[in-house]
Amino acid sequence: MQTDSSTVKSPSKPLGELSSHAEYAAHVMAAIRRLAQAEDEAQAVDVLVAASDRMGTDAAAFVSFVRDDPSHESFRFLLACDPVWCLEYERRAWYSTDPWLQYALTHSEPIRARDIPTTSAQERSVVELATQYGFRSALIVPAPSSGGLTRLGVLCLGSDDERFFDDDGFLPLRLLARTLAMELHEWWIARIKHELVINARLQEEDLTLLKHERLGLGTKQIASALDMSPNAVNSRFQRMIAKLGVPNRKAAAQLAAEYGLI
Amino acid sequence: MTQGGERGDVSGLVRQWLGAAGYLSIFLMPALFLIGTATGKTWLAFGIIVIAFPIARIVFGALPAAGAPEWHESVATFLDRLPLAYAAALPVCVVSALAFADASIATDGLALAGVGLSLWMTLLLGTCAAHELIHRRNRRQTLVGSLLAGFCGYPMLAMEHLAHHARPGDTYLAEYPLRTESLWQFTARRIVRVTAEVLGWSSALWSTREPKPALDRTRVALMGTALAALGFAAAGGLLGLLLYLGMIVAVAFGIQLITYIQHWGLGQDSVPDRIAYGRGWEDDCRFQAWVTLSVSLHDHHHRDSRMPYYRLDLSPDSPRLPAGYVLLMFASLVRPLWLTMMRPALVRWLLEPASPLSAGRRITCFGLDRSREQAPV
């Protein structure tokens, strides 16, 4: 799934000049704060466009994905750049050979893209494609998760200027980019959590059962705590695991924890 | 709970276990290969596939109309672990069979051919379990799936197949066959592209400077292939090793053959307006779903690739194969025969996608809706 907003940009000013402006950080933060009100992907893209614009970058993309998702079905994109880039990327299914994504799987520090080594022709092709679509130079900002969540995020900020991320303005930009990345990441997590609840038709009572299961309680203990019969607990779990497509209640609780539902 | 209610629960659970037992048929091929090789009846496994599997579609009938059961937790957990047990059993059966095979097989061409064909079918069906495991959420299980795929002689399965899901309907990169190309053309095009992409010199696989978590699956699969080669060499000497090398070629061909059956006529060259998630041909045969771990429910699998095999069901608007995999495997080798069987089915689906027509319980369905055969595809 991808959402985009193509914009016509004026030539980039040097980052140092932009960030020396007294209101630079405040302007970017004001754009980021609007994310809390974004109700759908289109509104979130508007925020990304505004934040990227105020930071002075020419292109931006945020990718949210689940660690160890070989099917790539968990990938969600927010694009403030030419969407053809993403279409090409998806068509070629370059996820596993994308050095920027691979970096985000194992690191949490923002990094200039050119400092990420590309060690194969396939990886160089991925970077070359990005170069063609506004990421001649880029800043890669991982958004890691903790607490058992398996979803990660990566913010890619791009510029047509090869040296854009090299001057004195890099440090303030790095801080702001990290804030933006984490806010976008949280926004996706909340949205996907909501989608799972709706799609699997989970109710509050289901989540309570899953919380008890996660605590290691057995059927009788859960039944007693929730004033239900053991058979009612079992049949509720059985329906729930079918809806979630998992084999048992332990896997259901694990999945719920990974999605941040409990 | 009343006594009657408890009895109902127990009988329902027993019925579920009986239904789930059908999936144990995945162990049939390794067992038949072991028995056949040990007793000198090397054609046994291949013969059973060719003769008994088509008949089994009549004996065991269609998938339940009510859809996949809402499995009891204990049954679902058992089914979930079944492919893992299979991943352990298959190598043991195959290598033991070769180790205990009668030495006279090596000098008997006919017996040797039987070993080759039986082993080909055994390993090809083994990739069904590997396929199920590589789609799992659990990282260890995906690695077991990759190891199994490697043992079966096709270490590229994980990378190839997951890219296949990510490129629905893509005929340009040979993820789907062109409607106008034969099995042979498709196989050649796909094998070349996949091999270059996964194992070629430009692949990130050969990079050692930085850890590449996504490539672990292929590395593990290659390890599985290397271990299998060693196992075959240890059990059967040079002949065993040559047999395994032959299997690598044969299984790679078999995988493309199955892909051809599953997706012919459903690519962007044929149905560009219907490729939402990658359409696939399905078959309502219960036995085929058991023995392939629901690979035959392919449209649903493409719609939700994380759904475990025991929860898959026929998609209500999927294209339906006019016969089982075994017959279509042979038919796909001869293009005129393939078109005779498949064109009417494709035309019917294009005209009436909402009311798909399954092959029924006949062994063959060459006459399926022939009235539409002349309609333009």
Side-chain angles (χ1 to χ4, degrees):
Chain A
M1 177 184 285
Q2 52 174 292
T3 313
D4 71 89
S5 174
S6 304
T7 53
V8 178
K9 301 251 181 193
S10 53
S12 310
K13 284 182 184 175
L15 183 55
E17 186 184 324
L18 284 167
S19 61
S20 63
H21 194 283
E23 297 295 311
Y24 177 71
H27 275 143
V28 176
M29 290 304 288
I32 296 173
R33 267 198 294 273
R34 281 173 34 215
L35 192 61
Q37 278 83 50
E39 289 179 356
D40 54 30
E41 281 92 334
Q43 292 180 12
V45 165
D46 286 344
V47 171
L48 182 59
V49 170
S52 164
D53 206 33
R54 292 177 190 191
M55 283 190 280
T57 53
D58 297 315
F62 185 80
V63 190
S64 173
F65 63 102
V66 168
R67 185 188 291 278
D68 293 331
D69 171 23
S71 72
H72 312 128
E73 285 170 2
S74 66
F75 279 68
R76 307 292 185 94
F77 297 89
L78 293 173
L79 302 175
C81 60
D82 191 334
V84 175
W85 171 52
C86 192
L87 289 172
E88 269 303 293
Y89 183 96
E90 284 192 313
R91 190 179 71 76
R92 301 181 200 196
W94 265 345
Y95 311 94
S96 60
T97 48
D98 181 342
W100 298 355
L101 284 188
Q102 297 294 317
Y103 173 82
L105 280 169
T106 48
H107 299 79
S108 58
E109 310 82 33
I111 187 172
R112 292 180 186 93
R114 67 156 187 272
D115 294 331
I116 300 174
T118 51
T119 53
S120 70
Q122 282 178 4
E123 290 180 348
R124 284 189 284 279
S125 302
V126 176
V127 174
E128 177 56 33
L129 184 71
T131 305
Q132 291 170 27
Y133 290 97
F135 295 85
R136 198 174 160 87
S137 61
L139 174 63
I140 307 304
V141 191
S145 284
S146 61
L149 291 178
T150 51
R151 189 163 276 275
L152 311 173
V154 193
L155 173 66
C156 308
L157 295 172
S159 172
D160 282 331
D161 178 354
E162 208 167 359
R163 316 298 301 175
F164 182 76
F165 296 101
D166 290 352
D167 70 16
D168 295 344
F170 180 69
L171 192 59
L173 176 72
R174 189 177 186 271
L175 294 171
L176 292 168
R178 215 166 192 174
T179 307
L180 176 61
M182 290 311 294
E183 289 297 314
L184 287 167
H185 183 43
E186 261 186 40
W187 185 86
W188 266 124
I189 287 173
R191 181 151 189 85
I192 287 160
K193 198 189 299 185
H194 179 69
E195 278 177 18
L196 181 67
V197 170
I198 300 292
N199 293 340
R201 301 185 300 281
L202 294 179
Q203 296 170 0
E204 200 51 48
E205 204 171 1
D206 294 323
L207 299 180
T208 309
L209 282 178
L210 290 170
K211 278 179 202 162
H212 282 83
E213 167 60 30
R214 192 74 175 154
L215 291 171
L217 301 183
T219 302
K220 284 181 183 166
Q221 290 167 298
I222 296 173
S224 165
L226 300 179
D227 198 20
M228 297 167 75
S229 72
N231 278 327
V233 169
N234 285 336
S235 73
R236 185 133 199 156
F237 266 125
Q238 191 168 310
R239 282 197 300 276
M240 196 178 358
I241 63 171
K243 286 188 285 189
L244 290 170
V246 292
N248 49 45
R249 62 188 72 184
K250 190 178 173 190
Q254 170 74 24
L255 183 69
E258 286 178 5
Y259 274 80
L261 287 175
I262 56 174
Chain B
M1 173 70 67
T2 63
Q3 270 194 339
E6 281 174 7
R7 270 201 298 273
D9 282 353
V10 171
S11 67
L13 188 57
V14 170
R15 271 200 303 275
Q16 283 213 349
W17 276 110
L18 288 173
Y23 289 109
L24 290 171
S25 53
I26 59 168
F27 292 98
L28 200 57
M29 287 302 288
L32 287 171
F33 180 70
L34 179 60
I35 294 166
T37 312
T39 57
K41 295 179 175 59
T42 59
W43 286 82
L44 182 67
F46 184 74
I48 291 283
I49 274 222
V50 172
I51 296 165
F53 277 29
I55 295 171
R57 70 181 292 116
I58 304 169
V59 175
F60 293 103
L63 290 160
E70 195 178 84
W71 296 107
H72 187 275
E73 265 188 280
S74 57
V75 184
T77 303
F78 166 78
L79 290 172
D80 208 60
R81 290 176 186 164
L82 204 56
L84 294 168
Y86 178 87
L90 179 71
V92 172
C93 283
V94 168
V95 177
S96 306
L98 293 175
F100 296 118
D102 194 325
S104 65
I105 290 175
T107 53
D108 181 345
L110 199 62
L112 206 53
V115 171
L117 287 170
S118 292
L119 185 57
W120 178 43
M121 284 295 156
T122 304
L123 295 180
L124 195 55
L125 279 170
T127 62
C128 293
H131 168 261
E132 166 68 20
L133 290 170
I134 62 173
H135 277 291
R136 293 271 170 101
R137 284 192 173 90
N138 183 299
R139 181 172 164 74
R140 282 183 195 159
Q141 293 188 10
T142 62
L143 291 178
V144 172
S146 298
L147 197 62
L148 179 59
F151 178 84
C152 292
Y154 198 62
M156 300 186 292
L157 183 70
M159 295 297 280
E160 175 220 84
H161 185 72
L162 298 168
H164 169 72
H165 274 267
R167 299 164 178 157
D170 191 331
T171 47
Y172 177 72
L173 288 171
E175 294 297 355
Y176 279 49
L178 289 162
R179 190 168 48 79
T180 51
E181 74 185 338
S182 68
L183 165 70
W184 307 99
Q185 291 166 318
F186 172 69
T187 298
R189 206 159 61 89
R190 186 165 166 78
I191 283 279
V192 168
R193 200 269 299 162
V194 169
T195 307
E197 194 171 291
V198 180
L199 300 177
W201 291 117
S202 67
S203 165
L205 184 69
W206 309 115
S207 143
T208 50
R209 274 201 285 167
E210 281 280 302
K212 300 285 189 302
L215 299 171
D216 288 352
R217 286 180 287 272
T218 306
R219 291 190 176 122
V220 166
L222 286 169
M223 198 169 72
T225 305
L227 287 174
L230 283 174
F232 272 70
L238 180 62
L239 189 63
L241 184 61
L242 290 174
L243 180 67
Y244 186 63
L245 294 176
M247 284 305 113
I248 291 176
V249 175
V251 171
F253 172 71
I255 294 276
Q256 313 322 321
L257 191 154
I258 296 296
T259 306
Y260 188 81
I261 292 174
Q262 287 167 335
H263 296 294
W264 176 85
L266 304 176
Q268 62 199 176
D269 64 325
S270 269
V271 289
D273 54 331
R274 298 193 192 186
I275 302 167
Y277 52 82
R279 305 308 303 255
W281 290 92
E282 293 194 325
D283 183 30
D284 71 344
C285 173
R286 189 200 297 247
F287 180 74
Q288 190 155 272
W290 285 342
V291 84
T292 63
L293 295 186
S294 301
V295 163
S296 53
L297 302 175
H298 209 63
D299 198 70
H300 192 171
H301 169 63
H302 268 264
R303 186 152 48 88
D304 186 355
S305 69
R306 284 290 179 88
M307 187 66 79
Y309 71 93
Y310 51 91
R311 297 200 190 281
L312 287 176
D313 192 22
L314 287 164
S315 291
D317 63 344
S318 59
R320 302 289 164 84
L321 289 168
Y325 276 5
V326 174
L327 280 171
L328 288 171
M329 280 175 75
F330 289 109
S332 66
L333 302 173
V334 185
R335 185 150 173 85
L337 182 56
W338 171 257
L339 290 176
T340 302
M341 293 182 78
M342 290 299 289
R343 275 194 60 185
L346 179 60
V347 171
R348 190 187 192 284
W349 179 68
L350 291 173
L351 293 174
E352 296 177 50
S355 55
L357 184 63
S358 288
R361 307 275 61 81
R362 290 162 289 175
I363 294 178
T364 67
C365 294
F366 293 105
L368 172 70
D369 214 10
R370 288 189 73 96
S371 60
R372 300 176 192 278
E373 194 176 344
Q374 299 310 315
V377 178

